[in-house]
Amino acid sequence: MAGLYTSLRPQPPSSSSSSQQSFFSKVLLLLTILPLSLALFAFVLQWRGGGVDDPITRWSPEESHKFPGMDSSPLATVSHSSQSSDCSLLAHTDTPSFPYYKDWKFKLHPDLKPKICITTSTSAGLEQILPWMFYHKVIGVSSFLLFVEGKAASPDVSKVLESIPGVKVIYRTRKLEEQQAKSRIWNETWLSSFFYKPCNYELFVKQSLNMEMAIVMARDAGMDWIIHLDTDELIHPAGAREYSLRQLLLDVPSNFDMVIFPNYESSVERDDIKDPFTEVSMFKKNYDHLTKDTYFGMYKEATRGNPNYFLTYGNGKAAARIQDHLRPNGAHRWHNYMKTPKEIKLEEAAVLHYTYSKFSDLTSRRDRCGCKPTKEDVKRCFMLEFDRSAFIIASTATEDEMLN
């Protein structure tokens, strides 16, 4: 019995078991402390500057100046009274479609060449202008000359546009019109057939007059190239060594005055498109970028009963070197008073034209121009055959008929 009790009595721990327990304790302590230390280190890095450097919150301390898409709630509306319904289109998620913020800093060296200016005449709202500008900033555009009227000239919209570095906003005032009335263009025969006509013809003349002023402004600002684009168009700098418009134009030989970007036209994919720049993915290529066999072989299928291969224009857009005697030659080209510009047409780069990509692009036609929806009267207002047909349909058909 004594031997039995002795064997059951607890034995003092040996030195080997004691060291083993100490090792496991140290490992457990290390596994506990390590993730806590990493978490603390990450927290310090994140907040060492006094707070998270969130580009969205950098826009403005004033709530009323938020860009569309910044509201965290999908039901929130932008506090611009006249644009709230339009600007809230981008406020569907916690993350905006584009990281807009006030001090757009791309950390570009100020001496980078060439310096590129884009000019446009627009009446669009922030929901269209901001992503359009941001995209072109990213691919290397230095400055924007915005000739605004309508919604684009409203205080809520123009205040945002004027706050963005590299953007100059020009309003259609009486003073501007008086200045443009003295323009050399009014004495040019090449544009005279468009004078004193409504709607698209009037817009074409305004664009030409604005482009003429933009040349002077861009030259005074030290720009090297100028491009006229609408806010439903994006430059696609394919073929460059990097996805950069600056790199593309840098590689153009110095003896060329103008670069032609053939246009691609968006195809109708769905009837519920809200944000074309992020939702549209399918484009009809320009015939300049197709083989003859492909173009003519697929022509009937591509037109789908419409009067032309493209619904709207097909002659692309152009970038021009800023030089003496430069002038506009309509909204799509540039010319020179003293010589015939030498131009190069790019084999891969293009202008992406997001035309009639939203159902509202069609329905909104009914509110334009004041023309009668007849085949004869629409010729007075619209240059392109599809625009004429779209105006008649929008003015006479129901929404269900237009959807079809």
Side-chain angles (χ1 to χ4, degrees):
M1 289 292 292
L4 178 62
Y5 284 118
T6 304
S7 64
L8 294 178
R9 188 177 299 138
Q11 300 294 320
S14 65
S15 60
S16 61
S17 64
S18 175
S19 61
Q20 190 175 17
Q21 288 181 2
S22 176
F23 173 75
F24 284 125
S25 298
K26 289 178 180 179
V27 170
L28 184 62
L29 181 63
L30 180 63
L31 292 176
T32 304
I33 292 176
L34 183 60
L36 290 176
S37 301
L38 291 175
L40 180 61
F41 181 65
F43 180 82
V44 171
L45 285 179
Q46 189 179 33
W47 289 89
R48 66 181 180 178
V52 177
D53 189 22
D54 183 358
I56 294 177
T57 59
R58 283 168 60 187
W59 158 237
S60 172
E62 300 177 38
E63 195 71 16
S64 62
H65 294 166
K66 280 189 176 181
F67 285 167
M70 287 184 178
D71 298 291
S72 58
S73 168
L75 300 178
T77 56
V78 179
S79 58
H80 301 153
S81 58
S82 60
Q83 275 74 42
S84 59
S85 60
D86 295 311
C87 294
S88 62
L89 290 176
L90 297 181
H92 297 305
T93 64
D94 290 349
T95 305
S97 298
F98 293 84
Y100 312 129
Y101 51 98
K102 185 175 181 180
D103 49 341
W104 288 2
K105 294 178 180 176
F106 291 83
K107 298 181 180 178
L108 299 177
H109 197 278
D111 294 331
L112 278 177
K113 292 282 188 175
K115 293 184 178 180
I116 306 164
C117 171
I118 285 181
T119 182
T120 190
S121 301
T122 183
S123 59
L126 292 177
E127 74 284 351
Q128 182 166 331
I129 298 175
L130 290 178
W132 174 81
M133 282 201 303
F134 189 86
Y135 169 84
H136 287 109
K137 279 258 190 180
V138 169
I139 63 171
V141 174
S142 307
S143 70
F144 298 84
L145 298 173
L146 309 180
F147 291 82
V148 299
E149 52 186 304
K151 185 189 292 187
S154 66
D156 290 333
V157 175
S158 60
K159 186 176 182 180
V160 173
L161 298 177
E162 288 178 344
S163 71
I164 300 173
V167 175
K168 182 175 179 60
V169 180
I170 304 100
Y171 300 90
R172 177 147 290 278
T173 60
R174 181 180 296 274
K175 182 179 179 181
L176 178 71
E177 292 177 347
E178 290 174 352
Q179 186 177 353
Q180 291 185 340
K182 302 172 184 177
S183 166
R184 181 174 179 175
I185 283 180
W186 287 105
N187 299 317
E188 299 291 330
T189 56
W190 62 270
L191 194 61
S192 59
S193 61
F194 296 91
F195 293 161
Y196 311 114
K197 292 183 179 180
C199 207
N200 276 20
Y201 295 93
E202 180 184 9
L203 174 62
F204 194 78
V205 173
K206 282 182 181 179
Q207 287 175 328
S208 299
L209 292 167
N210 293 342
M211 289 166 70
E212 185 182 51
M213 295 188 71
I215 292 171
V216 177
M217 295 176 183
R219 184 180 59 200
D220 292 344
M223 297 293 112
D224 301 299
W225 290 87
I226 187 168
I227 306 172
H228 174 259
L229 281 184
D230 296 327
T231 54
D232 62 351
E233 298 169 332
L234 301 178
I235 293 285
H236 173 48
R241 284 176 287 171
E242 56 189 67
Y243 197 78
S244 164
L245 179 59
R246 179 183 283 111
Q247 186 63 58
L248 191 75
L249 295 179
L250 183 65
D251 293 338
V252 174
S254 59
N255 60 323
F256 285 97
D257 305 302
M258 191 160 59
V259 176
I260 308 301
F261 295 86
N263 62 293
Y264 292 3
E265 187 175 84
S266 62
S267 297
V268 177
E269 298 180 52
R270 310 193 312 269
D271 59 22
D272 62 345
I273 295 290
K274 300 297 183 186
D275 183 8
F277 291 153
T278 58
E279 295 180 68
V280 172
S281 60
M282 194 162 54
F283 290 83
K284 191 183 294 185
K285 295 182 74 172
N286 194 288
Y287 39 79
D288 285 328
H289 286 179
L290 295 171
T291 63
K292 288 185 178 180
D293 290 343
T294 300
Y295 177 69
F296 289 107
M298 303 292 291
Y299 185 86
K300 186 176 181 180
E301 184 176 347
T303 55
R304 299 180 63 85
N306 289 306
N308 297 300
Y309 175 69
F310 280 149
L311 300 183
T312 53
Y313 72 89
N315 58 340
K317 288 292 180 75
R321 287 190 196 274
I322 296 176
Q323 53 190 285
D324 292 341
H325 312 296
L326 182 67
R327 71 162 174 86
N329 191 25
H332 298 257
R333 290 291 188 275
W334 307 87
H335 210 276
N336 194 294
Y337 284 113
M338 302 302 292
K339 66 177 182 179
T340 300
K342 187 175 182 181
E343 64 181 50
I344 181 173
K345 186 172 290 185
L346 299 176
E347 296 180 356
E348 295 182 67
V351 168
L352 305 180
H353 187 199
Y354 295 78
T355 184
Y356 289 102
S357 53
K358 296 185 294 184
F359 184 51
S360 61
D361 292 339
L362 179 61
T363 58
S364 64
R365 292 278 156 178
R366 68 167 70 99
D367 301 321
R368 297 189 179 186
C369 302
C371 289
K372 296 177 182 178
T374 62
K375 290 186 177 181
E376 289 303 316
D377 202 49
V378 292
K379 293 178 181 178
R380 186 173 59 89
C381 296
F382 299 97
M383 302 180 199
L384 302 174
E385 190 61 38
F386 189 85
D387 285 338
R388 295 169 180 173
S389 300
F391 176 76
I392 293 175
I393 291 170
S395 302
T396 59
T398 64
E399 289 206 359
D400 288 340
E401 290 172 333
M402 281 189 277
L403 277 171
N404 291 326

